[in-house]
Amino acid sequence: MNGLLLALSWLTVLPLPSREVDARACRQAIALAPLVGALLGAFGAALLWALSALGAPGLLAGLLTVAAWALVTRGMHVDGLADTVDGLGCYGPPERALSVMRDGGAGPFAVVALIVVVGVQASALAELAASGQWVAVVTACAVGRAAFVFCCRRGLPAARPEGMGSLVAGTQPWWVVAAWWGVLLIGGAFALPGAWWLGPFSVLLAGGFLLVFTAHVRRRFGGVTGDVLGAATELTTTLVLAVSVLS
């Protein structure tokens, strides 16, 4: 329970009492992150349904849902995306890139990335709402938080000795990674009943993307950081949502 409560307090704004943050709790929290993702997906699907039922246009409902996700996650993931993209876009050694990420400002790469991600998510949610594909919304968020598990797998180090990345990097054994992604691969077959194969395909595509992404950030930064985890979550969620509307 300590790991689950820590995952909820880390990844949401739920007013939970402070928990002991030790190595075991951090490892458990990352391992349970996909469950928190499914909870956030269910919240997003319910909000999207309610807005649609009230007559909100699809794109407006999608944008409001994306904004609500940012609020209930304290904006950590979108902030991580902005910082990571700025770090990847600068020249120089890993130290220079990590310095840019710590700066906190939003450069042109970050602005473009945020516009694209928010736009794709909102438009995809509008299409899913129009066709009543609510399970696909839950699946996308669960896969997005499974990116935490993937990025914290054994063998992938932290980029710096402090921060969230240093607490959770390398904590997840491969069997935990394989178990979660296997469950999501099977569950994806139920996300889009009209095109059952599209859900598993989106999960596989997300996994392939994370392989390339983590290899690149390891070369560029030396490992993962908390910002990298946030970026992986946002990009993976966006990818699954985009693929889900191809049908």
Side-chain angles (χ1 to χ4, degrees):
M1 287 300 296
N2 193 42
L4 179 59
L5 291 174
L6 181 59
L8 287 168
S9 64
W10 260 356
L11 303 178
T12 73
V13 293
L14 290 176
L16 297 172
S18 59
R19 312 300 301 178
E20 180 182 356
V21 181
D22 55 20
R24 184 169 181 267
C26 291
R27 181 177 69 251
Q28 293 173 342
I30 293 297
L32 295 171
L35 291 179
V36 180
L39 178 64
L40 290 168
F43 163 75
L47 178 60
L48 192 63
W49 174 84
L51 291 169
S52 300
L54 290 172
L59 188 56
L60 175 62
L63 282 169
L64 291 176
T65 301
V66 173
W69 275 336
L71 287 174
V72 300
T73 58
R74 302 187 188 91
M76 289 190 304
H77 305 327
V78 290
D79 179 67
L81 172 64
D83 289 342
T84 300
V85 171
D86 274 344
L88 291 174
C90 76
Y91 292 101
E95 294 76 16
R96 162 69 175 159
L98 292 171
S99 175
V100 168
M101 293 169 68
R102 280 193 296 263
D103 179 61
F109 288 112
V111 173
V112 172
L114 291 175
I115 291 173
V116 171
V117 164
V118 170
V120 171
Q121 288 187 7
S123 58
L125 289 172
E127 291 295 324
L128 292 173
S131 57
Q133 305 286 11
W134 312 113
V135 179
V137 180
V138 179
T139 301
C141 286
V143 174
R145 274 61 187 182
F148 276 91
V149 183
F150 195 98
C151 291
C152 294
R153 66 188 186 273
R154 295 274 170 82
L156 188 59
R160 47 185 176 228
E162 75 280 352
M164 182 181 177
S166 64
L167 291 174
V168 298
T171 60
Q172 303 304 304
W174 272 103
W175 71 265
V176 173
V177 180
W180 267 121
W181 283 81
V183 168
L184 292 169
L185 188 65
I186 296 171
F190 302 94
L192 298 160
W196 68 266
W197 55 271
L198 203 54
F201 173 72
S202 69
V203 175
L204 286 174
L205 194 62
F209 164 76
L210 286 174
L211 274 175
V212 176
F213 179 71
T214 53
H216 185 52
V217 297
R218 184 171 188 172
R219 286 194 303 270
R220 193 68 187 86
F221 305 146
V224 297
T225 67
D227 286 332
V228 168
L229 298 182
T233 292
E234 286 296 327
L235 293 172
T236 307
T237 301
T238 304
L239 178 61
V240 174
L241 286 173
V243 174
S244 296
V245 299
L246 293 180
S247 60

